[in-house]
Amino acid sequence: ARRGDAVHLSVLDDGPGPRAGGATRGHGVGLGNLRDRLERLYGGRAMLRLAERPGGGAVVEVTLPPA
């Protein structure tokens, strides 16, 4: 979805969530790579957020600035 000029992506998961057994609790290789790439491409203008969902699961949100 677009919010102003930025693009906002959300990925919802209904699994056990980041605290339920993930040894890295949201700091795994995949999320680390994504954070690194966002920083290289956009500096501090992009945003990545991982949160637990009420009732279980997780949501990952990424906001990309205009090009």
Side-chain angles (χ1 to χ4, degrees):
R2 285 201 175 266
R3 291 187 184 160
D5 289 336
V7 175
H8 181 80
L9 308 167
S10 295
V11 178
L12 306 174
D13 174 46
D14 62 359
R19 293 184 188 233
T24 58
R25 293 179 22 177
H27 300 284
V29 172
L31 289 174
N33 284 341
L34 181 53
R35 282 186 184 101
D36 289 346
R37 287 177 190 214
L38 289 172
E39 179 63 29
R40 276 195 307 258
L41 290 170
Y42 303 106
R45 298 180 302 136
M47 189 269 308
L48 172 67
R49 184 178 84 89
L50 171 67
E52 292 183 65
R53 292 179 62 203
V59 61
V60 175
E61 297 177 334
V62 177
T63 301
L64 302 174

